[in-house]
Amino acid sequence: MFNALMLQKQDDRTLAAVESIDESRLATSSDGDVLVRIDYSTLNYKDALAITGRGPVVRAWPMVPGIDFAGIVETSSHPDYQPGDPVVMNGWGAGETHWGGLAQKARVPGAHLIALPTGITTRQAMAVGTAGYTAMLCVQALERHGVSAADGEVLVTGANGGVGSFAVAILARRGYRVIASTGRPEEAARLRELGAADIVERATLSAPGKPLQKERWAAAVDCVGSHTLANVCASLRYGGAVAACGLAQGMDLPATVAPFILRGVALLGVDSVYVPRERRVAAWRAIEEDVPVATMESVAATIPLADTPDYAARLLRGEVAGRVIVDVNA
């Protein structure tokens, strides 16, 4: 038996509660060939949508949410993994189409796992989590496009969130001048500690704006979507690019083609769920080298599994800053 946060559908409501689960049920929840004893998971925006029922994340019921986890291989029939190996998992439909990481155990395909870099512990891996991994994918997307620190300022929207916080830290570490957009001025000091050179008020970007605006940013990482992303595109410098990975403001994009055909800007979509394995490995190697993991771990909040429903609601209300590690064994 093991403990898991279980989501049940009742009429139009999502019910979330910690339950004791027989390990035999894992065989029916996934076609995985690796059984992992989970040490830590995290609480991400998508997890919060699933747990509260605020978004159509869950595709099969009942569901154990949790889009990522880190732990130790318990049993394996996959050639790349042996019992005792530390591993990390991000995405691949965990918590959506098959049981995820907010549990003490998970059975997953070995192809969905990454061997944890030797310099990162399982707790540190979840201090990074899908948020840090996605932020690294965004930075790598910008750099593949040719963006460099010499090109000018890089904007990060939704900078107080998990992805935004990591994007600020990674970009600053790589020598970029980072401008952080936030609606919570009380968090400005924390963002400056992460490396932000300046702070802009969220409201300056979140309202409907002109199709083409003053050129300001060489590039951007957008975690927000909707009018914010439209305004970012409209204010990119000629040839600039934005890596878009979030929808905190909305899924819509009320923009025009003007920035794309008059300034040659690029909109780079960044997905973290089904990224090819080689890019996952490259991202985690870069995290080991370029992310101040120990710093991120020290400022992350750690909660027990039973507290995740309450924290999920708080996260969606904008009351949670930075990372939330879930100790599934607490």
Side-chain angles (χ1 to χ4, degrees), residues 294-316:
T295 299
M296 290 301 192
E297 181 188 20
S298 68
V299 298
T302 302
I303 64 172
L305 185 62
D307 285 358
T308 50
D310 175 62
Y311 266 77
R314 290 177 56 189
L315 190 154
L316 295 183

Side-chain angles (χ1 to χ4, degrees), residues 138-139 142 147 152-159 163-164 167-168 171 176-182 196-202 204-206 213 216-224 227-237 241-244:
C138 287
V139 173
L142 291 175
V147 175
E153 294 178 333
V154 178
L155 175 71
V156 177
T157 66
V163 177
V168 169
L171 287 163
Y176 293 86
R177 178 176 170 80
V178 185
I179 310 300
S181 169
T182 177
D198 205 355
I199 311 294
V200 296
E201 168 57 44
R202 177 177 62 194
T204 64
L205 295 165
S206 60
Q213 302 171 28
R216 299 182 65 185
W217 326 109
V221 173
D222 177 66
C223 310
V224 179
H227 290 290
T228 297
L229 177 54
N231 287 323
V232 170
C233 291
S235 55
L236 285 172
R237 295 181 182 178
V242 53

Side-chain angles (χ1 to χ4, degrees), residues 34-41 68-74 81-82 84-89 101 103-106 113-116 120-123 125-126 328-329:
V34 180
L35 178 65
V36 179
R37 184 181 73 254
I38 298 174
D39 291 338
Y40 300 97
S41 185
D68 53 18
F69 64 75
I72 306 298
V73 172
E74 192 164 281
Y81 301 101
Q82 303 297 322
D85 289 347
V87 292
V88 62
M89 199 282 304
Q104 292 176 317
K105 292 191 178 185
L113 297 170
I114 297 293
L116 196 61
I120 302 178
T121 68
T122 55
R123 188 179 189 280
M126 288 297 97
V328 298
N329 299 296

